């Protein structure tokens, strides 16, 4: 503010309580949380647990349950036709239930006597093939994940701020965290000060941080918010009739998403394509819903196969076999 009287301040004025004694504000047209601008560090945060992250724990448990279910189904089918592989103790049967579906296809162990078992195993192998392919694709996303993390300095002896803003007082008030405030006037000075170590971090409002990141965002990040402000708006003298008219105009503009994007891009200078941080979004772990249809189909096929096998066995046992009498009995 200056000592000269004026009808309006049509600029980026932050709404502050101490300023309301001098002026009236319209409703804010931009949010103004206070953030820190710091260096970014590329991290490849892969651990042993990363190999399990493509699937949620519920999906892993479900896959193990389906594997046991298939083993039980094959054990029933083979036991009913008298497969000697299943004429063993209960403990070995339990191991066979889990191991047999895998060993039959990949290690050629055991012999399948029931044709219905082959149908179940073929369907099981097809399902495993689909699950493995999806797991491999998702795992590759997790292993190649590159995250840009904020690299917070060990101390804040020299903290930059926008020259002429209220942030100088904000830095001085927080003596427990921030040290010497360093005034900076442009995004270029922000870049130079961070690059040559003049400042450890820069404290500024969100719109100006976004403006900097739109231009130099590949190696820098915002951290926060560390404080919340009421917003950025227009200022008018007390009693000015223009306050209500400008507030209505601000509401009209902010309600139009297309208009706001146009203003941010061409008037303010935000680049909407580069406005967000250059982070790869964290891949999503797949849950049971991703395979529920496949599991239901596999269950229906397996149960149907067991029923069909039982019907076939009952039909074979009920066949009437003709009896041929000996020749000498005819002579009696």
């Amino acid at each position: 503010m200056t000592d000269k009287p004026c009808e309006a301040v049509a600029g980026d004025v932050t709404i502050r309580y101490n300023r309301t004694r001098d002026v009236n504000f319209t409703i804010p047209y931009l949010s103004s949380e206070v953030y820190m601008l710091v260096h970014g560090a590329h991290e490849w945060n892969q651990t042993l647990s990363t190999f399990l992250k493509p699937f949620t724990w519920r999906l892993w448990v479900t896959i193990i349950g389906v594997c046991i279910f298939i083993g039980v189904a094959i054990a029933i089918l083979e036991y009913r036709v008298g497969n000697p592989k299943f004429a063993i103790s209960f403990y070995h049967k339990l191991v066979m239930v889990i191991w047999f579906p895998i060993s039959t296809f990949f290690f050629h162990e055991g012999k399948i006597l029931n044709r219905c078992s082959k149908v179940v195993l073929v369907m099981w192998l097809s399902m495993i093939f689909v699950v493995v392919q999806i797991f491999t694709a998702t795992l590759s996303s997790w292993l190649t994940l590159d995250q840009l993390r904020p690299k917070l300095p060990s101390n804040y002896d020299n903290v930059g701020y926008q020259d002429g803003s209220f942030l100088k007082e904000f830095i001085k008030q927080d003596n427990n965290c921030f040290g010497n405030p360093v005034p900076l006037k442009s995004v270029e000075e922000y870049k130079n000060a961070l690059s040559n170590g003049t400042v450890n971090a820069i404290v500024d409002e969100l719109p100006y941080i976004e403006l900097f990141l739109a231009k130099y965002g590949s190696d820098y990040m915002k951290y926060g918010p560390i404080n919340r402000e009421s917003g950025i708006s227009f200022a008018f003298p007390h009693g000015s009739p223009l306050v209500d008219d400008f507030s209505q105009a601000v509401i009209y503009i902010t309600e139009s998403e297309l208009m706001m994007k146009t203003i941010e891009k061409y008037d303010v200078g935000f680049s909407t394509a580069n406005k967000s941080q250059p982070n790869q979004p964290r891949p999503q772990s797949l849950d049971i819903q991703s395979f529920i249809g496949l599991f239901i189909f596999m269950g229906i096929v397996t149960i149907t196969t067991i029923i069909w096998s039982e019907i076939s066995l009952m039909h074979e046992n009920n066949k009437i076999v003709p009896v041929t009498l000996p020749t000498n009995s005819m002579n009696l």
Side-chain angles (χ1 to χ4, degrees), residues 36-39 150-157 199-201:
M36 277 200 306
L37 183 64
V38 295
H39 288 279
K151 186 178 180 181
L152 300 179
S154 57
N155 61 76
Y156 299 93
D157 295 336
V199 297
N200 308 102

Side-chain angles (χ1 to χ4, degrees), residues 143-197:
L143 293 177
T144 57
L145 180 64
D146 178 17
Q147 285 287 317
L148 187 66
R149 305 292 184 184
K151 186 178 180 181
L152 300 179
S154 57
N155 61 76
Y156 299 93
D157 295 336
N158 299 306
V159 179
Y161 70 96
Q162 184 180 163
D163 190 19
S165 69
F166 69 93
L167 292 168
K168 181 178 181 180
E169 288 74 21
F170 171 77
I171 294 172
K172 288 182 176 180
Q173 288 174 0
D174 200 344
N175 293 325
N176 294 330
C177 181
F178 302 119
N180 179 39
V182 179
L184 301 170
K185 295 183 178 180
S186 63
V187 292
E188 289 75 17
E189 288 192 15
Y190 283 14
K191 171 71 165 54
N192 296 332
L194 286 171
S195 299
N196 58 30

Side-chain angles (χ1 to χ4, degrees), residues 194-314:
L194 286 171
S195 299
N196 58 30
T198 303
V199 297
N200 308 102
I202 294 175
V203 176
D204 207 344
E205 296 174 87
L206 179 61
Y208 310 109
I209 297 291
E210 295 284 7
L211 192 62
F212 175 89
L213 293 175
K215 191 172 184 180
Y216 303 108
S218 59
D219 296 316
Y220 300 93
M221 284 200 70
K222 61 185 179 185
Y223 177 78
I226 59 176
N227 193 49
R228 295 187 180 275
E229 299 297 329
S230 300
I232 295 176
S233 68
F234 302 109
F236 294 88
H238 287 297
S240 175
L242 298 176
V243 176
D244 293 338
D245 294 335
F246 268 77
S247 294
Q248 292 177 5
V250 169
I251 293 173
Y252 173 75
I253 293 175
T254 53
E255 284 184 349
S256 174
E257 184 178 355
L258 179 61
M259 191 176 296
M260 280 301 297
K261 287 184 177 180
T262 303
I263 293 173
E264 289 179 354
K265 183 175 181 180
Y266 295 104
D267 296 336
V268 182
F270 293 160
S271 176
T272 54
N274 299 323
K275 190 175 178 179
S276 60
Q277 285 296 132
N279 284 354
Q280 282 184 256
R282 186 176 291 274
Q284 184 179 3
S285 298
L286 300 180
D287 206 349
I288 300 174
Q289 290 82 358
S290 303
F291 299 94
I292 189 65
L294 188 62
F295 292 152
I296 292 175
F297 176 74
M298 186 68 196
I300 293 174
V301 170
T302 303
I303 294 173
T304 304
T305 304
I306 293 175
I307 295 173
W308 178 261
S309 176
E310 290 297 317
I311 294 174
S312 300
L313 289 174
M314 290 174 59

